[in-house]
Amino acid sequence: MILGTVAAVASAGGLPSAMTAIASTTLGSATATVTFSSIPTTYDDLVLIGYTRSAAIATSRGCRLRFNNDTATNYSGTFLIGDGATASSSQVSTQDQIFVGNVPAASATANIFGSFRIEIVDYKNTSYNKTALIRNAMDLNGSGATYLNAGLRLSTSAVSRLDLYLDSASDFVSGSVFALYGIKKAA
């Protein structure tokens, strides 16, 4: 599913709000990839929020993020993971995407969705590489995990497109929600 952008909504008084909705969707059917395209350059930062569940039957799936449909191995990440019993960390490099975190499988308790918040700082600046700060949680009714990730794309290109997809060619289920916001640091 490819989403274009919609015009930003001004706050009361006509001044831009600090956080403005750019585009959002609630999936009406299972979808392999959710794309936000033609992202305007009128903001300082981006925030992408999702409530997701995988159509995979048996196990949770990893959610992945790409900037500008870039599939080169120029991404890296550092992760902190906790599941209520243990904590761990890891680091990866030369990846073709940024790991967002796991989302519940179709076999999880009904109506349980994982959530994430991705902050992309200074997305339009072409002077340095792009970063994504990610918080992800997956509650499985007594088990699950939470992730804190820092992702990096070794490219100075401005971000104009975001693609989200799941591992193993799985789909996001109907009812998954995605929302993209723009942040202005000053009016």
Side-chain angles (χ1 to χ4, degrees):
M1 167 175 277
I2 297 179
L3 302 171
T5 56
V6 295
V9 179
S11 64
L15 296 175
S17 61
M19 190 174 206
T20 304
I22 297 174
S24 66
T25 188
T26 300
L27 300 181
S29 61
T31 302
T33 303
V34 173
T35 300
F36 290 91
S37 63
S38 304
I39 297 170
T41 58
T42 52
Y43 303 98
D44 297 307
D45 303 330
L46 298 174
V47 173
L48 178 58
I49 296 173
Y51 300 96
T52 61
R53 183 176 171 110
S54 169
I57 298 299
T59 60
S60 60
R61 294 290 189 245
C63 182
R64 310 294 176 156
L65 170 69
R66 286 190 175 129
F67 296 152
N68 300 340
N69 200 30
D70 178 6
T71 59
T73 55
N74 58 359
Y75 297 90
S76 62
T78 301
F79 317 98
L80 298 174
I81 305 164
D83 65 8
T86 61
S88 62
S89 64
S90 64
Q91 199 169 23
V92 296
S93 60
T94 61
Q95 303 294 300
D96 65 355
Q97 42 60 37
I98 294 172
F99 178 68
V100 173
N102 286 334
V103 302
S107 58
T109 302
N111 299 316
I112 295 219
F113 283 70
S115 65
F116 63 77
R117 178 184 170 110
I118 303 169
E119 298 174 26
I120 304 165
V121 180
D122 213 5
Y123 71 102
K124 64 184 177 181
N125 190 314
T126 58
S127 297
Y128 52 84
N129 297 321
K130 301 301 173 279
T131 58
L133 302 174
I134 304 164
R135 289 176 277 175
N136 176 299
M138 179 182 70
D139 179 14
L140 297 176
N141 199 21
S143 65
T146 185
Y147 304 82
L148 180 60
N149 307 344
L152 172 68
R153 175 177 174 240
L154 296 174
S155 172
T156 59
S157 299
V159 176
S160 61
R161 175 179 167 158
L162 299 171
D163 293 291
L164 290 157
Y165 65 96
L166 297 174
D167 290 341
S168 304
S170 184
D171 290 344
F172 294 107
V173 299
S174 174
S176 292
V177 177
F178 302 86
L180 180 66
Y181 298 89
I183 295 178
K184 286 196 173 200
K185 295 177 184 165

